Amino acid sequence: MVDVAASLQTFHAAAKSLQSVAQAAKALIEQRDESKIHAKVTELNSAIVEAHSQLLTAQTAALAQLGRVKELEQRITRLETWERERQRYELTRLNPGVLVYSLRPGMANGEPRHDICARCYEDGIKSILQPEHSTAGIKLRCARCQAEVTHW
Ligand SMILES: [Zn+2]
């Protein structure tokens, strides 16, 4: 899940730390007392380390979210492609009652007539059934899920 709110909180914390760095640096510049300068330098270093740590955390979160967004975009593209592709097929009953998805007339786009596996279709995958002729009829086999249907 993309947690944008958590990422924004991390960036806010990093910005706050950087504000502390700026305040510590300003206080350091205004100091004249050697011991106080040393204390302010220590405070400044701590603030810089804290800000750096928070920025690294924020960067890591942002990169993870970017990866997730890219993954989701690819998934959407796959689903849209499948949605267009599945419209080219219709559920067909072959003798003696086996069901396959057949290429709709007028939707061939230059492809030869063929059937695709009903099980794989339900999984959102196009898998063309390959025919094997036998004495019992024509056996259609799905290379992906190994489903077999015999019809005549
Ligand atoms: Zn299949």
Side-chain angles (χ1 to χ4, degrees):
M1 179 176 213
V2 178
D3 192 352
V4 176
S7 187
L8 287 175
Q9 278 181 333
T10 308
F11 275 112
H12 180 72
K16 205 170 172 182
S17 292
L18 288 173
Q19 214 169 24
S20 296
V21 170
Q23 287 170 350
K26 186 178 176 204
L28 180 62
I29 290 168
E30 293 169 352
Q31 279 301 320
R32 301 280 180 253
D33 183 335
E34 189 80 20
S35 65
K36 287 182 180 175
I37 289 174
H38 181 73
K40 287 294 175 190
V41 167
T42 302
E43 186 182 318
L44 181 61
N45 282 336
S46 295
I48 289 171
V49 167
E50 179 67 21
H52 185 253
S53 170
Q54 288 172 339
L55 284 172
L56 284 177
T57 301
Q59 184 182 30
T60 301
L63 285 173
Q65 290 170 356
L66 197 61
R68 181 70 175 139
V69 166
K70 189 173 182 176
E71 179 186 313
L72 291 172
E73 285 174 343
Q74 289 170 341
R75 187 171 177 194
I76 288 169
T77 300
R78 273 197 311 275
L79 289 172
E80 287 173 346
T81 301
W82 170 241
E83 184 59 30
R84 280 193 305 276
E85 189 65 11
R86 66 184 285 275
Q87 298 300 321
R88 298 176 60 217
Y89 296 88
E90 62 187 351
L91 191 60
T92 307
R93 184 180 303 277
L94 303 176
N95 286 327
V98 295
L99 296 173
V100 297
Y101 280 89
S102 301
L103 191 59
R104 290 179 190 268
M107 301 290 276
N109 298 342
E111 294 178 4
R113 192 214 169 297
H114 62 273
D115 301 309
I116 61 174
C117 175
R119 184 187 298 167
C120 290
Y121 181 97
E122 297 305 326
D123 291 342
I125 296 168
K126 173 182 171 179
S127 181
I128 296 175
L129 295 169
Q130 296 297 325
E132 295 174 7
H133 296 274
S134 72
T135 53
I138 300 172
K139 187 188 292 182
L140 297 174
R141 181 189 304 268
C142 173
R144 182 180 169 268
C145 74
Q146 309 304 320
E148 289 181 358
V149 293
T150 302
H151 75 96
W152 57 83

